[in-house]
């Protein structure tokens, strides 16, 4: 069966990244919905198998400035209720958390750059976490966080953020951090959002982020593909 993926993208700088390569290797199809083009999110849930919600600089609570947020939250909740596989990255993970009645709030500090995450024992015991190392460096770019939705398995934590992801019913996955960005995507982010790179304990410079991408992006890709394999039960 050919898996049909639908991505929801909130800004042009944060697309699906190397998830597109995974979909190609899988022989799947990808349809892209771009909220920043003010497209109506009117896709039927019958037209896709896997929903992927990506990141963005806005917050879940910014519906006054971005009216489409409420419609997207409803769409994600419907997808979950209909038994779809749903993946959220960064803002997408926060959207899923809110759709599952969890709290989304400001994190105690901003976290931007290549910093370690520590995978939770409960996640390592799932089929998604099989074979993963307990700790790895991943790319972070966020100022918000979420509580773990009820009946979910926590994925990971970091020195700056206690909740870095969750797995709900084995098919709904939220990741606060970015495994999908390679050198091209990181270059775009560090240029377009450079005003956010204010030096702090958990904020690296653009130069440091780009330099570390060479050593960190390849392992991140391997882990992403491994997690997706477990998630889709390949």
């Amino acid at each position: 069966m050919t898996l049909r993926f639908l991505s929801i993208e909130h800004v042009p700088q944060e697309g699906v990244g190397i998830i597109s390569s995974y979909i190609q290797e899988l022989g799947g199809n990808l349809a892209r919905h771009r909220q920043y083009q003010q497209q109506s999110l009117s896709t039927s849930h019958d037209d896709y198998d896997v929903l992927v919600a990506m990141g963005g600089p806005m917050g879940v609570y910014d519906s006054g400035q971005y009216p489409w947020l409420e419609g997207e939250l409803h769409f994600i909740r419907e997808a979950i209720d209909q038994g779809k596989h749903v993946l959220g990255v960064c803002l997408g993970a926060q959207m899923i958390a809110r759709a599952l009645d969890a709290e989304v709030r400001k994190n105690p500090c901003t976290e931007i750059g290549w910093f370690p995450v520590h995978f939770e024992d409960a996640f390592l015991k799932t089929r998604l976490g099989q074979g993963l190392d307990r700790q790895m460096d991943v790319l972070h770019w966020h100022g918000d966080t979420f509580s773990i939705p009820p009946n979910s398995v926590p994925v990971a934590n970091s020195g700056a953020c206690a909740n870095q992801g969750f797995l709900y019913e084995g098919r709904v996955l939220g990741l606060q951090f970015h495994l999908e960005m390679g050198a091209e995507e990181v270059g775009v982010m560090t240029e377009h959002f450079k005003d956010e790179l204010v030096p702090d304990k958990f904020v690296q410079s653009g130069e440091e982020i780009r330099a570390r991408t060479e050593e960190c992006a390849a392992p991140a890709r391997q882990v992403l593909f491994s997690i997706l394999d477990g998630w889709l039960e390949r």
Side-chain angles (χ1 to χ4, degrees):
M1 181 185 74
T2 299
L3 280 179
R4 302 165 300 167
F5 290 75
L6 171 65
S7 68
I8 301 178
E9 301 169 28
H10 306 103
V11 289
Q13 296 80 21
E14 297 194 54
V16 296
I18 63 170
I19 295 173
S20 62
S21 298
Y22 181 85
I23 294 171
Q24 290 174 358
E25 290 184 13
L26 193 66
N29 296 325
L30 173 62
R32 301 172 65 183
H33 175 84
R34 299 171 173 88
Q35 293 282 35
Y36 54 89
Q37 292 182 347
Q38 299 183 341
Q39 298 175 346
S40 174
L41 185 51
S42 56
T43 303
S44 168
H45 294 292
D46 294 331
D47 291 339
Y48 69 92
D49 307 299
V50 180
L51 178 64
V52 182
M54 299 308 300
M58 60 287 296
V60 169
Y61 39 75
D62 288 333
S63 57
Q65 186 175 357
Y66 304 98
W68 45 261
L69 281 166
E70 289 300 325
E72 183 175 330
L73 279 169
H74 182 69
F75 187 88
I76 290 172
R77 181 72 244 193
E78 286 184 335
I80 294 170
D81 289 344
Q82 293 192 24
K84 301 292 185 179
H85 275 69
V86 182
L87 168 66
V89 176
C90 202
L91 172 63
Q94 296 160 16
M95 296 285 284
I96 295 173
R98 174 62 69 86
L100 291 173
D101 299 320
E103 180 187 12
V104 179
R105 59 188 182 274
K106 287 292 184 183
N107 196 52
C109 59
T110 299
E111 188 177 26
I112 303 177
W114 292 97
F115 295 103
V117 291
H118 311 271
F119 289 111
E120 303 282 359
D121 288 342
F123 180 69
L124 292 173
K125 293 176 182 177
T126 69
R127 64 177 184 269
L128 288 74
Q130 292 294 312
L132 299 185
D133 292 336
R134 186 168 298 277
Q135 177 179 309
M136 70 174 297
D137 287 349
V138 300
L139 181 67
H140 306 266
W141 204 299
H142 70 106
D144 289 348
T145 188
F146 44 73
S147 58
I148 301 298
N151 304 312
S152 297
V153 174
V155 169
N157 64 81
S158 73
C161 185
N163 297 327
Q164 285 282 356
F166 57 87
L167 177 64
Y168 175 76
E169 293 189 349
R171 59 180 174 81
V172 180
L173 178 63
L175 298 176
Q176 181 60 70
F177 51 93
H178 297 271
L179 296 172
E180 82 287 355
M181 290 191 181
E184 180 179 353
E185 290 82 10
V186 168
V188 170
M189 291 287 287
T190 54
E191 175 58 30
H192 189 83
F193 298 111
K194 59 186 176 184
D195 291 345
E196 298 180 17
L197 301 178
V198 179
D200 205 346
K201 181 178 180 180
F202 293 104
V203 179
Q204 295 170 347
S205 68
E207 292 78 8
E208 185 175 1
I209 294 171
R210 289 189 293 271
R212 294 219 58 212
T213 299
E214 184 175 352
E215 64 175 299
C216 296
R221 175 190 175 108
Q222 292 176 352
V223 167
L224 174 62
F225 283 25
S226 177
I227 289 174
L228 294 179
D229 280 348
W231 182 54
L232 297 173
E233 300 185 79
R234 288 189 66 191

